[in-house]
Amino acid sequence: MRINADQARQYFWHPSQRVGTATVDMMTDDGFAYYAESGVCLAFNDVPWPGVIMCHVGAMPGAWGRAVEPAKRMLAQAWSEYGPERIVFWIPEQNRAAIAFAKRCGGEMDGRMNMGNPITMMGWTPWQF
């Protein structure tokens, strides 16, 4: 189900949902699309490369351990609506739980951005899972 930024903030409020990412105060409807299902929210925005959209994941504590299947459905819905060539997740390397979650959703390793706080770059397409 599509929701707006105000509705999406509740999925990202818990500190564990913001490891190395923006705060809920930075969430806006301008340039973002939000989907929510079963205590999970996926936020999508364009990146500066044609055919690529970025995915951000927020889950309420009650959805932990049960978020993969809803996330897969929302990824497929965004894919269907936007028709990108790739959906990407850029995750701080120290956030191993988020990397494992992206893998369980069908994400595959695209690379690593070597920075002071390295970023694991992953990508998703519907035929990967």
Side-chain angles (χ1 to χ4, degrees):
M1 156 177 80
R2 290 288 297 265
I3 62 174
N4 63 37
D6 287 335
Q7 295 166 314
R9 284 187 186 97
Q10 65 183 324
Y11 297 89
F12 293 87
W13 71 266
H14 195 275
S16 68
Q17 302 306 293
R18 298 188 306 271
V19 176
T21 62
T23 67
V24 293
D25 298 332
M26 298 172 72
M27 296 172 73
T28 176
D29 287 316
D30 187 31
F32 282 84
Y34 303 93
Y35 297 79
E37 179 187 331
S38 304
V40 183
C41 179
L42 301 187
F44 296 92
N45 65 288
D46 289 332
V47 296
W49 193 265
V52 180
I53 58 176
M54 175 79 66
C55 179
H56 311 270
V57 180
M60 295 180 177
W64 296 352
R66 296 187 305 271
V68 171
E69 293 307 314
K72 285 181 180 180
R73 287 190 291 274
M74 289 182 281
L75 284 162
Q77 183 179 359
W79 185 274
S80 174
E81 289 182 25
Y82 293 97
E85 291 183 47
R86 193 108 171 125
I87 295 175
V88 296
F89 307 88
W90 287 4
I91 307 165
E93 199 169 81
Q94 85 270 15
N95 193 343
R96 288 184 243 146
I99 293 168
F101 179 77
K103 286 179 183 177
R104 287 193 305 275
C105 289
E108 66 178 9
M109 181 68 72
D110 285 339
R112 180 177 192 258
M113 193 180 317
N114 293 315
M115 301 173 58
N117 180 16
I119 304 296
T120 297
M121 302 182 321
M122 301 181 75
W124 184 93
T125 55
W127 48 84
Q128 288 176 250
F129 65 92

